Amino acid sequence: MAKLYFRYGAMNSGKSTALMQVAHNYEEKCMQVSVMKSSIDTKGSDKLVSRIGLERKVDHLLTPDDSVYENIKDVIPNIRCILIDEAQFLTPKQVEELFCISKVKDVPVICYGLRTDFQTNMFPGSKRLMELADELEELTTICKCGKKAKFNARMIDGKFVSEGTQVAIDGKDATYEPLCGECYIKYVNPIDKKIVKSKTLTLHNKEKD
């Protein structure tokens, strides 16, 4: 029985590049894939765009009101794999459709996307994927300090921000930087100010001693 996969990671962890590589591997063996992304991601319009310069036109641009199954039902017998980019923007209903397609139609579904937004909250689509996916895989990238980055820090006019709408498209409405937990607390949001303040006071007292 086919599986639903969720491959997630912070910004700049190579998600779109990995998706295009998987698509190429299937097509090199003359196997048909269906590549989709959410229309909420307006970067690249109807194309996947990776940070290393690769591009690929999607087969289906899904609006939040679209049914995934209705888009592919006529060709699904020929599809060997469904690949979804920017999966965090899917609706929970669309994720449920993908789960059912993998089980009932026996077609593997591989979703690539962010786990959390710039405020460390899960996107609705990512939350449902974490609940339903048969396999979860984290794609990693590096924070500016050299540690593993897990968080997506939003920047407006070159400055980190901790408030705003959940969706702001990279390169159009804002820019993003992947950070580790320590750098996220330091530069973006202390999350728990009492703990951060107590550490600062401890360091200050040590310096006095």
Side-chain angles (χ1 to χ4, degrees), residues 35-62:
V35 177
M36 309 179 189
K37 78 168 186 175
S38 169
S39 64
I40 293 173
D41 176 42
T42 55
K43 183 179 179 181
S45 186
D46 63 347
K47 293 180 180 178
L48 307 183
V49 179
S50 79
R51 293 175 185 270
I52 63 172
L54 297 177
E55 290 187 357
R56 179 189 173 116
K57 188 172 181 178
V58 299
D59 300 305
H60 301 283
L61 199 58
L62 299 170

Side-chain angles (χ1 to χ4, degrees), residues 8-17 43 49-53 86 113-114 139-144 149 151-153 170 176-179:
Y8 63 92
M11 302 290 289
N12 206 23
S13 59
K15 298 181 293 298
S16 298
T17 302
K43 183 179 179 181
V49 179
S50 79
R51 293 175 185 270
I52 63 172
E86 305 295 347
L114 302 174
L139 305 180
T140 61
T141 190
I142 302 300
C143 176
K144 61 183 180 180
F151 301 99
N152 306 296
D170 180 37
Y176 292 87
E177 184 171 343
L179 297 178

Side-chain angles (χ1 to χ4, degrees), residues 1 18 20 25 34 62 68 74 85 133 154 179 186 198:
M1 185 60 64
M20 286 186 266
N25 292 345
S34 181
L62 299 170
V68 179
D74 293 335
D85 200 25
R154 179 181 293 176
L179 297 178
K186 180 178 180 180
S198 68

Side-chain angles (χ1 to χ4, degrees), residues 35 65 82 89 128 136 138 149 158 171 177:
V35 177
D65 295 326
I82 297 170
F89 295 140
R128 199 69 181 117
L136 301 170
E138 184 177 13
E177 184 171 343

Side-chain angles (χ1 to χ4, degrees), residues 14 17 27 34 40 44 53 66 70 76 87 107 120 129 150 169 182 190:
T17 302
E27 292 170 338
S34 181
I40 293 173
D66 280 343
E70 289 298 321
I76 200 166
V107 178
T120 73
L129 280 164
K150 296 190 69 171
I169 302 304
E182 184 177 354

